[in-house]
Amino acid sequence: MFDLSRKVAIVTGASRGIGRAVAEALAGQGAHVIVNYTRSEALAEQVVQGILGRGGSAEAVRFDVADMGRAEQVVSEVAQRRGRLDILVANAGIAIDGVLLRIKEEDLDRVIAVNIKGTLACARAAIRVMMRARAGRVVVLSSVAGDVGNAGQAAYATTKAALQGLTKTLAREYASRNITVNAISPGLIETDMTAGLPAPVREHALRGIPLGRTGRPEEVAAAAVFLCSDEAGYVTGQILRVNGGLYV
C-alpha cells in the first residue's frame, strides 16, 4: 500500500519542518525526491544524505519559488532530466506576522510572492508535464489560519485561504487528465515556525485542540503520502485537515 516506487516527486521548502518530513516520507515509500531549498544548502544536503542513508533516492535543487520564471524553468528541467514528474508537494511558505494596519507593503508582497505566486508557478510547470503523462498528484500546503483566520496574521491567513481556492480550481481544471489536486491544512505543528511561540500563546492554543497536544511533522507527511498514492486516485479538490480537531 502507498507504493511510490519509480515515482519522481518535487517537494518545495523541503530543507526543514513539514517539507523535510514529507520528503523523507515520500522517499521512504520509494519515490525519488527533489529536495527544494532557497537558502540553506547544508540543511538540504542533510535531508538528502539522511534519505540516501536509509536506502532512498533524493537530490537537492536550489531555487526560490517566488521567482516564478526560475521556478517554472527548474521544475521543467527536473522533469526532462528524470524523464517524468509524478508528484508535486507545494510546501514552501513564509509568515510575516502583523495586523492589517501595521503590515508593510513589502512584507505583504513577499508573503504573496512565496505562498501564492510560488505555488502557482510550480503547479503550472508540473501540470504541464503531468498532462502529457495523463497522470499526476499535486498537494498544496495550506493552514488552519486559512480556515478560520488568525489575529496578527493578516497576510499569511489570506494567502493560505487563497491556496484552498486554488486547489479546488485546479482539481476541476485537470481531473479529466487524471491529475488530482488536494490540500493539507495543518494545525499547530512542532516546526521552526511555531517553536518561538510565547508560552501563554501556546497554552491558549492547546486548550482549543481537542486532542490536547501539538502535531508532529511526520503526521502531516503521512497525509501527504496518502494523497500522493495510487490509493487516493478518487480523491481530488479536498482539504485534508491535520489539526487535532482544532477546526472540524
Side-chain angles (χ1 to χ4, degrees), residues 4 23 43 47 53 66 68-70 78 80 88 91 97 100-101 130-131 140 150 154 162 167 204 212:
L4 301 178
L43 286 178
V47 179
M68 293 186 70
R70 178 62 178 159
V78 166
Q80 184 175 15
L88 168 68
N91 166 77
D97 294 345
L100 178 62
L101 297 185
M130 294 173 181
M131 285 180 66
V140 174
N150 193 29
T167 295
H204 175 76

Side-chain angles (χ1 to χ4, degrees), residues 37-238:
Y37 69 100
T38 302
R39 289 186 297 273
S40 180
E41 182 178 6
L43 286 178
E45 283 299 329
Q46 284 180 15
V47 179
V48 169
Q49 292 305 314
I51 290 172
L52 296 178
R54 291 186 290 273
S57 179
E59 61 184 287
V61 177
R62 182 176 187 173
F63 64 90
D64 184 352
V65 300
D67 183 342
M68 293 186 70
R70 178 62 178 159
E72 291 193 54
Q73 177 186 1
V74 174
V75 171
S76 298
E77 288 174 351
V78 166
Q80 184 175 15
R81 174 165 53 82
R82 298 296 308 185
R84 62 191 297 163
L85 177 59
D86 306 280
I87 296 165
L88 168 68
V89 180
N91 166 77
I94 61 171
I96 302 177
D97 294 345
V99 296
L100 178 62
L101 297 185
R102 293 183 180 177
I103 191 166
K104 299 176 182 177
E105 184 176 359
E106 56 266 32
D107 291 340
L108 176 61
D109 289 343
R110 179 61 181 167
V111 175
I112 290 174
V114 174
N115 297 4
I116 297 180
K117 294 176 68 176
T119 299
L120 280 164
C122 293
R124 182 159 59 185
I127 287 172
R128 283 196 185 105
V129 178
M130 294 173 181
M131 285 180 66
R132 293 193 290 271
R134 299 192 69 85
R137 299 282 187 267
V138 177
V139 177
V140 174
L141 267 293
S142 181
S143 167
V144 67
D147 292 319
V148 299
N150 193 29
Q153 290 193 313
Y156 181 73
T158 296
T159 61
K160 291 301 184 176
L163 291 180
Q164 296 190 18
L166 173 64
T167 295
K168 295 176 182 181
T169 298
L170 296 183
R172 290 182 178 275
E173 288 183 352
Y174 300 104
S176 65
R177 298 300 182 97
N178 196 34
I179 299 169
T180 66
V181 185
N182 294 285
I184 298 174
S185 179
L188 187 62
I189 308 297
E190 289 295 338
T191 65
D192 291 348
M193 191 178 290
T194 60
L197 288 175
V201 175
R202 177 179 292 271
E203 291 168 6
H204 175 76
L206 287 173
R207 286 196 295 270
I209 301 173
L211 283 181
R213 65 173 178 86
T214 56
R216 294 179 290 109
E218 293 77 12
E219 292 173 307
V220 181
V225 168
F226 166 66
L227 292 175
C228 293
S229 71
D230 290 343
E231 286 81 358
Y234 201 55
V235 180
T236 195
Q238 303 305 304

